[in-house]
Amino acid sequence: MQTAGFRYPDPVKCIGTLQNFFTPEERISSIILEQGSDREDLEASPECSIPADASGRDPEYFFFEEIFESSPECILILEGETITRANAASGEFFGIAPDKLAGKTPADLSPAMQPDGESSCVRMERLLLKRIRGPVKFGWIHIAAGGIERKTEVILTPVRVGRHSRIMANIRDITPLIDARQKVQSQYRLLQMTNTMIMAMHTEEKIEDALAVVADELNTLFENSLITIYITSPDSEEAHLAVSRGELPGHRESQGHNRLPTTQEPYATVYQRGDPIFCEIHNSRVSGIIGKNEIYNPDIPTAVGIIPLISDGTIHGSINIFTQGREGFDADEQSLLVNIGREIGGAIRSGMMRDELKATNDLAHLFLDILVHDVNNAHMIIGGSLELLKDAEGEEKESCVNLIRSTLDTAAEIHQNVMMIRSIREGGEKSQRPVPLDAVIQRAIPPGINVHFEPSGAVVYADELLSGIFYNLFSNAVKYGCADAGIWISIRDDMDEVTVTIEDNGPGISDTDKEQLFSRNLRIGSKKKGLGIGLYICMTLARRYGGSIRVTDRVAGCQEEGSAFILTLRSARDATLK
C-alpha cells in the first residue's frame, strides 16, 4: 500500500526490526507474540533476515526506535527480573533517568506490599513465571515520581532474541480511570442513599424515626465517621441533639454534644444564615467547632461538614459529619449533602405543618370535651343541689351547700387548666429562662400536707408555667392518697439535666394505667374525682421544656406501696439568672 510516496513496512519485517533494537548486535531468530506466531514460519520468512549492521543502516530500525522512545506508555525491557532498558516515558513516570532505571527490578519501583497484602517481590516472581504461556496482564501499584503510589496496568510480553530471553513490560497509569470509576460508583451510591433518606422523611410518621434512617445511611456512606443530627426552632438559641450514629476511631466516647449554640460562630453561619460549613480539622487552631479538641489528631486529617436543614428560609436543624482520614468533601459530595439538607428541611416543615394541624384539632377536641363533659357536669351538679337546697334542712342542707362549694372548686380548676393549656399553646421556647427550682416547688406544695423536701439549689430552663407540673402532681397525690398521705421530693442535679423524683404512699397505679397515664382523659379509678387532664398538662409542659416525665412504683414490684413520678428538666446552673 502506497500513500504520498511512503511505503508502510511489511508487518512481519516490522516484528523483526522492532526486536532488533533490544540488542542491536544480535539478529532475531524467533519471537513469541500474544497472537501465538509460529517460530518456524518466522525463521523461514525472508523478511526476518535483517542485516547484522541494521542498527547503523536500516531506516526502519530508527523508525521503531522512535516509536519506543516517543510512546506515552512506559516500556521496560527485562532480562529475568532486571531492567535492561527503559524509554523516556518510564523515566518521567518514575522520576528516574531511563539509564538509571537499568539494573533495577520492578519490585524496586513498587511498595513493599501490594494492596492484597502480598509482597511485591513474591508476587512479581510469580507473575514472571506465568509469562512462559504468553502475555500476562495484571494490576499493580508502582511508586511514581515524588514517591506517590499510582495504580497501573502492566502487560508482560515474553520475547526471544537470538538465544536470549527478554520480557517487554508495558505499564499504563490507570489511576485517573480507577478514581473516576470509584467516583461514579460513590456518586451513584450517594444518590441511592439520598433517595432512601428522602423516602424515609416523607413516609415515617415520627420525625425521629426518619432522622434515624438518615443518620444510618450517612454512617454507611462515610466510613470512620460520627454523624449527629440536631433540631432547633426559629426562636431558639440552641439546637438539640436528635440522633447520633457512628464513632471516630480512638474516640469511642464521643457521641456528640447535647446542645449547640445557634447564635455563636461558626454555628451562626448555619443556623442564622443557612450556609453550610465544610472544613478540615488539621491543626488545633481551628476555632469554634464544639468538641474539636476531643477528636483532634495531628497525624490524621478529619473532614467536617455542617449542613443546614432548611426550608423556605427557615432553619430546622443541621447534619453534622466528622469523618476521620479525609482531607475534605469534594464538590459533588458537598452539593449532594446540601440537597439532602434541603430535602430533610422540607420534610420537617411538612411534618411540622401536619403536627400543628393535628395539635390544633386535638386542642379543639380537648376544649370540646371539657365543655361538654366537665363543665356541663359541674352545672348539672350545682343545679341539682340548688333544687334540693330549697326544701333541705339541717344536715341535708349542709351537705348540699358543701357539694355546691366542691363543684365550684372543680369549676375553678377547670378554668385554671384551660387557661394553662392556652398559655402552653401560645408560649414559645424563647420565653424560657433559668428558673430556680426550689422556690417553684415550695410555692406549689398544698397546705397541711406532710411533705419531705430538701432544697437543692438546682436551676432549670423553664417559664412561669413550670409550677403547673408540681401543682398537678401534688394535687393528684392528695386526691388519690390516704388520710395520712405523705410526699417525698428528691432532686439530682447532673451536668446537663436535673431529675426530680416525687414519691407518695398512696394506693399506687396499676401497670395498665401506667401505660396511658398521661393521656388527656384518663382518670385513675372510676369512683375518684378528676378532670383527666392534669397529668396530660404535666407531660405537655415537660416536653415543652425539653424534658420528660414518667411514673413507676415507689417500691419496685409493689404498686400498692405508692407511686414515684420522675421528672427530668434541662439544667441551667451554668447560665446567668435574670
Side-chain angles (χ1 to χ4, degrees):
M1 178 178 178
Q2 302 258 347
T3 304
F6 178 80
R7 182 176 62 85
Y8 283 88
D10 182 271
V12 178
K13 188 175 181 181
C14 287
I15 293 172
T17 307
L18 175 61
Q19 303 304 323
N20 193 40
F21 71 83
F22 293 164
T23 306
E25 293 80 9
E26 297 176 336
R27 298 187 61 187
I28 294 178
S29 60
S30 66
I31 181 168
I32 304 174
L33 299 173
E34 183 176 359
Q35 291 80 3
S37 300
D38 186 80
R39 177 175 177 178
E40 285 75 17
D41 291 344
L42 288 174
E43 289 179 337
S45 174
E47 283 84 358
C48 287
S49 179
I50 307 298
D53 58 350
S55 63
R57 294 186 302 196
D58 190 341
E60 292 185 358
Y61 169 81
F62 294 104
F63 175 72
F64 287 104
E65 176 79 6
E66 180 65 22
I67 292 177
F68 176 77
E69 289 297 341
S70 62
S71 173
E73 294 185 4
C74 303
I75 302 177
L76 302 177
I77 306 302
L78 310 178
E79 185 172 355
E81 297 182 22
T82 305
I83 300 171
T84 60
R85 191 171 178 191
N87 67 348
S90 300
E92 294 176 3
F93 178 73
F94 291 108
I96 303 173
D99 59 329
K100 300 295 184 181
L101 286 171
K104 296 183 179 293
T105 68
D108 295 333
L109 306 174
S110 312
M113 308 293 290
Q114 289 296 307
D116 57 3
E118 187 177 13
S119 164
S120 292
C121 293
V122 173
R123 186 175 180 187
M124 182 55 69
E125 289 178 2
R126 180 167 54 81
L127 291 169
L128 286 170
L129 289 175
K130 289 185 177 181
R131 101 277 188 191
I132 298 175
R133 297 191 296 270
V136 179
K137 180 190 294 186
F138 54 89
W140 192 262
I141 302 296
H142 277 110
I143 299 177
I148 301 174
E149 292 188 359
R150 305 288 289 181
K151 305 175 185 69
T152 66
E153 179 184 80
V154 181
I155 300 177
L156 298 179
T157 303
V159 296
R160 184 178 296 277
V161 182
R163 284 175 285 187
H164 298 276
S165 296
R166 298 286 188 272
I167 298 173
M168 182 169 63
N170 291 76
I171 302 172
R172 183 163 64 100
D173 184 4
I174 59 173
T175 303
L177 178 63
I178 292 179
D179 289 347
R181 183 183 303 159
Q182 291 175 343
K183 186 174 183 179
V184 169
Q185 292 174 344
S186 176
Q187 294 301 319
Y188 178 69
R189 185 181 176 193
L190 188 55
L191 285 170
Q192 284 184 311
M193 290 189 171
T194 301
N195 183 59
T196 300
M197 290 184 274
I198 293 172
M199 288 289 293
M201 291 303 302
H202 291 281
T203 56
E204 295 287 347
E205 291 187 4
K206 295 183 178 179
I207 187 64
E208 294 82 2
D209 295 337
L211 293 178
V213 173
V214 172
D216 288 335
E217 292 292 335
L218 290 174
N219 188 49
T220 301
L221 181 64
F222 298 105
E223 297 179 352
N224 300 325
S225 294
L226 173 63
I227 312 293
T228 53
I229 300 180
Y230 290 82
I231 296 297
T232 188
S233 58
D235 58 352
S236 173
E237 295 183 355
E238 289 184 328
H240 304 285
L241 180 65
V243 181
S244 176
R245 290 290 187 274
E247 60 187 24
L248 298 178
H251 301 278
R252 296 182 182 276
E253 72 286 351
S254 181
Q255 297 298 318
H257 291 255
N258 288 333
R259 297 191 296 272
L260 295 178
T262 61
T263 58
Q264 299 177 18
E265 294 293 354
Y267 298 101
T269 298
V270 177
Y271 289 102
Q272 301 297 316
R273 296 186 287 277
D275 297 326
I277 294 174
F278 293 102
C279 62
E280 177 194 343
I281 299 179
H282 54 79
N283 59 59
S284 57
R285 292 191 298 274
V286 175
S287 62
I289 296 179
I290 293 177
K292 69 178 180 63
N293 293 330
E294 301 173 12
I295 61 177
Y296 168 64
N297 188 326
D299 301 321
I300 304 176
T302 299
V304 178
I306 306 177
I307 303 96
L309 308 180
I310 186 171
S311 174
D312 296 329
T314 301
I315 312 299
H316 303 288
S318 69
I319 299 173
N320 297 41
I321 305 177
F322 293 84
T323 303
Q324 200 168 81
R326 292 177 61 116
E327 295 182 353
F329 299 94
D330 62 35
D332 291 332
E333 289 173 332
Q334 292 182 21
S335 177
L336 281 169
L337 286 172
V338 168
N339 287 333
I340 289 173
R342 289 173 180 164
E343 290 288 346
I344 295 175
I348 291 177
R349 177 58 183 156
S350 298
M352 290 174 61
M353 293 176 66
R354 290 194 302 269
D355 292 344
E356 289 173 1
L357 179 60
K358 183 178 183 300
T360 300
N361 289 334
D362 288 346
L363 185 63
H365 286 301
L366 176 59
F367 287 151
L368 183 61
D369 287 344
I370 293 173
L371 179 63
V372 171
H373 297 100
D374 296 314
V375 174
N376 188 52
N377 186 53
H379 287 167
M380 291 179 64
I381 292 174
I382 292 174
S385 299
L386 288 173
E387 287 293 326
L388 294 174
L389 189 60
K390 289 189 298 184
D391 300 322
E393 294 181 359
E395 292 183 0
E396 184 180 2
K397 181 177 181 179
E398 184 179 353
S399 176
C400 288
V401 170
N402 289 335
L403 182 58
I404 291 173
R405 286 174 178 170
S406 175
T407 305
L408 288 173
D409 289 339
T410 299
E413 186 179 348
I414 292 172
H415 178 266
Q416 182 179 1
N417 281 324
V418 168
M419 294 304 294
M420 182 170 292
I421 293 172
R422 179 180 175 183
S423 297
I424 292 173
R425 286 283 299 173
E426 292 177 351
E429 187 176 343
K430 197 170 185 178
S431 65
Q432 297 177 28
R433 62 187 186 279
V435 175
L437 186 59
D438 295 336
V440 174
I441 294 175
Q442 288 169 336
R443 286 195 299 267
I445 295 176
I449 300 299
N450 184 21
V451 176
H452 305 270
F453 172 54
E454 188 71 30
S456 65
V459 180
V460 299
Y461 282 105
D463 54 26
E464 66 279 358
L465 300 179
L466 177 61
S467 60
I469 296 179
F470 299 103
Y471 171 82
N472 278 290
L473 291 178
F474 296 154
S475 177
N476 273 354
V478 173
K479 189 181 302 180
Y480 298 103
C482 52
D484 58 344
I487 298 175
W488 290 262
I489 305 170
S490 60
I491 299 176
R492 187 179 73 249
D493 191 354
D494 295 328
M495 180 67 68
D496 294 319
E497 71 177 18
V498 173
T499 302
V500 184
T501 302
I502 300 173
E503 300 175 307
D504 63 63
N505 59 352
I509 301 172
S510 69
D511 292 337
T512 301
D513 285 341
K514 285 189 184 79
E515 295 177 359
Q516 51 180 339
L517 186 63
F518 299 100
S519 299
R520 71 184 189 196
N521 287 321
L522 179 71
R523 291 174 175 83
I524 304 174
S526 58
K527 297 182 180 180
K528 296 291 183 178
K529 296 179 181 180
L531 301 178
I533 59 173
L535 292 179
Y536 167 77
I537 290 175
C538 292
M539 180 269 294
T540 303
L541 284 171
R543 291 180 177 176
R544 167 189 173 91
Y545 301 139
S548 63
I549 187 170
R550 59 187 177 90
V551 65
T552 185
D553 298 325
R554 183 171 69 89
V555 178
C558 300
Q559 70 178 45
E560 68 279 0
E561 296 292 332
S563 304
F565 287 84
I566 302 172
L567 169 70
T568 63
L569 298 167
R570 292 187 296 138
S571 175
R573 62 179 178 175
D574 294 332
T576 302
L577 294 180
K578 299 180 181 180

